[in-house]
Amino acid sequence: MSKKMIVPCLYLKDGRLYSDFSDKTLISSDPAAYALECANAGADMLIIFDQSYNDRTHDEALDIMRAVTRQIDIPVIGAGNIKRAEDVKKVIYSGCSHAALNLAKQANIDLIEETGKRFGKDKIYVCADTEEQILDNIDPIREYTGGVLLLNDDIIDSYRDLKIISVTGDTSIDKACGLLAMDCVFGVSGKFANENRLNLMKIKRELDEKGIDTCIFKSSYTFADLKKNSDGHVPVVVQDYKTNEVLMVAYMNEEAYDKTLETGLMTYYSRSRNELWVKGATSGNYQYVRSLTADCDCDTILARVAQTGNACHTGSHSCFFNNIVKTQDTSRNPLNVFEDVYNVITDRREHPKEGSYTNYLFDKGIDKILKKVGEEATEIVIAAKNPDREEVRYEIADLLYHLMVLMAECGLDWTDIVKELANR
């Protein structure tokens, strides 16, 4: 059985977030920052309810969805103001893992089969607030969708075979536990998730103690299994989980180790102050655990983290910036090379250089860039028909360069592309 999820809702209107559909209580004017707080606190998924009222505000809401999905690494369901299949495409293209069709609208009901076939049933959810909406459409829901956002907590036998996120108005942990105990309910959302959004790791541990299998850190090793230094501590090498950059080195005692697993926040033992130290408690530069791995001797921990702000007290992102010696090596890390070239391209755009071919392309505009992309793609096809491997290599490099110019022109970067590939 898959793990059960806690799913905060973002009720979005006019670029701001409200506590529910009523639009009465403003909770944030920065949806992307709010979403990142939820994700870092332990949310397993998010729902964004777009409450826009015309095409212009809907496009603005899609821009916010893009900003949210670029910030976080958990799935996002986009719901609201869908009128046609093209709107579903826009929601998915914004980075959302799923789009939800509102069963209160006949036009959305008519889209279930078309969008399920076009985008895959796992990309399509339906949103319902009455029993009749589900029962009247139970067959297409089963065949063409991946699940139901149920805007209440009344689960009846007739649709217990569906995959349901209950958007409940109840805030009690006992109610959430009862819902998640049902095989058909894989997530709880609504007031329960939103009001507990900054304490989700604690809430999930309480649910886990009640027999609900949630996404929490359950270590394969106790602190006693690790080899300690002469002071009874274990060194921790901290690495940025996105870039692989080494950020810092610190130490843990048993209490810090257990606290890290409990909260998901990197917690260390300060040898100078002889006390526990939650990284970021003073500066706000928290480190959120993505993985902990012991080395071959179990005497050092590698922590891969999501770093908020900078890791070093000097203001540097990493503590390791004092070069001692360095060879003139050429990077072979593909993503680093792509990012380096892309950064040169964007720098040319911001700071034009006379005689630069990149600036020539930007000056000529999108049509010229597209023409070059087409030409380079054709040259790859021709080269691939010949036996010369080196020619294919050269032409692929040419195409990638021109694609990066196109990306910069369209406001995309490698983070967008890599995330889209990962979602597939």
Side-chain angles (χ1 to χ4, degrees), residues 359-369:
N359 284 130
Y360 164 77
L361 291 175
F362 283 133
D363 290 342
K364 290 295 183 180
I366 186 68
D367 289 342
K368 180 64 175 180
I369 296 170

Side-chain angles (χ1 to χ4, degrees), residues 64-136:
I64 291 173
M65 288 184 187
R66 290 187 192 95
V68 167
T69 57
R70 290 186 73 176
Q71 282 271 26
I72 64 177
D73 294 325
I74 59 175
V76 176
I77 300 175
N81 207 2
I82 290 175
K83 302 173 184 176
R84 49 196 177 269
E86 187 68 15
D87 292 323
V88 172
K89 184 181 81 170
K90 288 180 179 179
V91 169
I92 292 173
Y93 280 15
S94 74
C96 291
S97 55
H98 312 82
L101 303 172
N102 184 359
L103 294 183
K105 300 178 179 180
Q106 183 59 47
N108 275 207
I109 294 172
D110 297 338
L111 287 174
I112 294 175
E113 180 176 352
E114 177 187 353
T115 56
K117 288 180 176 179
R118 179 175 173 183
F119 301 105
K121 65 178 292 182
D122 290 340
K123 292 281 188 181
I124 305 299
Y125 277 61
V126 292
C127 185
D129 56 9
T130 69
E131 178 182 317
E132 290 75 17
Q133 288 172 0
I134 297 178
L135 295 181
D136 290 349

Side-chain angles (χ1 to χ4, degrees), residues 131 150-156 159 166 175 179 182:
E131 178 182 317
L150 182 61
L151 302 183
N152 59 59
D153 47 31
D154 187 15
I155 315 296
I156 64 172
Y159 45 80
S166 176
K175 182 66 176 182
L179 288 167
M182 300 181 191

